Amino acid sequence: MRGQIVKNQTQQLLIHAIAISALVLVALFLATRYGLISCDQVPYWCSGYHMILEKIYGRTYPNILILYGKSGMGDPHALANFITNNCNLYAQTMPISMVGPGNLSSYDVLIVEHARTLTPEEMAAIWDFAARGGKVLIAGDVGVDAEKNSQYLRVPDNTTWSEMDHVDANSETNSGGHLVIMNRWDRVDAFGNPILFGTQFLGLKYVGDYCHGEANCDVMGYLVPIDDELTSGLHVRVPFNHDFVVVQPLQTSIFGQQKIFATIGGVGACCGQSPPYPVAIRDGYRVVYYAFPPDIVLKDVNATGDSQTRYALVRLLYDICRWAAT
């Protein structure tokens, strides 16, 4: 009888241990999938995480897609070639105009650059992709221009950022006050619904382009990495001589805690802002924004000067590959 009791207790303990282990595994999977942690923060977890995803989706992880438009910063094909040839990953490219219901579901990572103009529907598709657990990287001036002037979200000029969560997209018709565009990244869709792509999705306000579109603009600054998973390959500040977007972090995003992991200094004031400028920001580990297209640093490889300096910024691209794969 006593032996039977001990046996039953052992079985119960084993069942409880299995149940707790399963709950921990599920919690760990969800935390990684939805960007709360990076899989390489937990020893030996990345291989298990990838195996689970590959069993669920029946394909190798990660599947990377680079979307691009007709104008803007960046060379999507150069970026795709770098990822494919140097990172042991495969990246496809596709015009963003081809995005439609369901055709992003077979991808794990979405990178968007060279798409200065975005429609509300394209913004919504990117947002939905991230909401389903996909990783998104937005680069440079993506989406700062609307297809139509009427698509910009306009709000009463006394609106605060905290009130943007409850903004009425029809305020133009029901408010007698002066209306302003608070954030060029925020839009209104065809049904009058607000899409707070800047305020909620990125947690950023677009302030302006540093060079204001000037062809002969000289940027003679330096990039300063801040200790983070996405700057693990870059440990010291390095020269940065490229145009970039000036943004104002809003300290919050619906996709996780916001962290600035690189800034640019050594340049002049712009757009009412002063250096150092935040140029690399992540919201959790799921949504990442670079104020410049990462592939632009490939031009530094062919520049003259110290080889260590030339290749330093390219390490950012390897960190992006590692982020995509974890």
Side-chain angles (χ1 to χ4, degrees), residues 24-43 45-46 49 61 135 229 255-257 282-286 323 326:
V24 170
L25 184 63
V26 170
L28 195 57
F29 175 81
L30 293 176
T32 308
R33 183 61 175 166
Y34 289 97
L36 299 178
I37 64 171
S38 176
C39 73
D40 57 1
Q41 292 177 311
V42 180
W45 170 231
C46 280
Y49 177 64
Y61 179 90
K135 291 183 175 180
E229 297 281 327
F255 288 105
Q257 183 179 2
R282 63 174 176 81
D283 302 320
Y285 289 94
R286 201 169 4 155
W323 163 79
T326 56

Side-chain angles (χ1 to χ4, degrees), residues 140-144 153 155 157 159-161 164 180-187 196-209 244-253 258 260 270-273 277-279 281 283 289-291:
D141 57 355
V142 164
V144 301
L153 176 64
V155 297
D157 59 4
T159 304
T160 64
W161 290 113
M164 290 292 284
V180 297
I181 300 173
M182 278 190 66
N183 195 344
R184 288 177 64 88
W185 268 320
D186 291 344
R187 302 292 162 76
L196 303 180
F197 192 80
T199 302
Q200 288 188 349
F201 183 84
L202 294 175
L204 301 170
K205 176 186 177 182
Y206 169 79
V207 179
D209 295 358
F244 61 93
V245 171
V246 179
V247 299
Q248 175 189 341
L250 301 178
Q251 312 304 322
T252 183
S253 162
Q258 191 172 75
I260 298 169
C270 173
C271 318
Q273 306 288 318
Y277 298 103
V279 293
I281 304 103
D283 302 320
Y289 174 76
Y290 283 86

Side-chain angles (χ1 to χ4, degrees), residues 88-205:
N88 197 30
L89 301 171
Y90 179 65
Q92 296 176 265
T93 59
M94 184 172 77
I96 197 166
S97 59
M98 293 179 62
V99 170
N103 68 346
L104 296 180
S105 60
S106 60
Y107 299 97
D108 307 293
V109 180
L110 203 61
I111 299 175
V112 190
E113 66 170 20
H114 193 71
R116 188 175 178 93
T117 301
L118 287 183
T119 66
E121 292 73 25
E122 290 163 350
M123 286 181 166
I126 296 169
W127 192 320
D128 289 343
F129 177 85
R132 292 194 301 269
K135 291 183 175 180
V136 174
L137 187 154
I138 303 293
D141 57 355
V142 164
V144 301
D145 287 348
E147 191 178 43
K148 302 175 182 177
N149 192 49
S150 59
Q151 292 173 345
Y152 289 114
L153 176 64
R154 290 172 170 82
V155 297
D157 59 4
N158 60 349
T159 304
T160 64
W161 290 113
S162 61
E163 293 172 335
M164 290 292 284
D165 292 345
H166 310 287
V167 70
D168 182 0
N170 296 311
S171 57
E172 189 165 5
T173 60
N174 60 28
S175 173
H178 180 60
L179 299 179
V180 297
I181 300 173
M182 278 190 66
N183 195 344
R184 288 177 64 88
W185 268 320
D186 291 344
R187 302 292 162 76
V188 179
D189 67 16
F191 302 99
N193 301 310
I195 300 175
L196 303 180
F197 192 80
T199 302
Q200 288 188 349
F201 183 84
L202 294 175
L204 301 170
K205 176 186 177 182

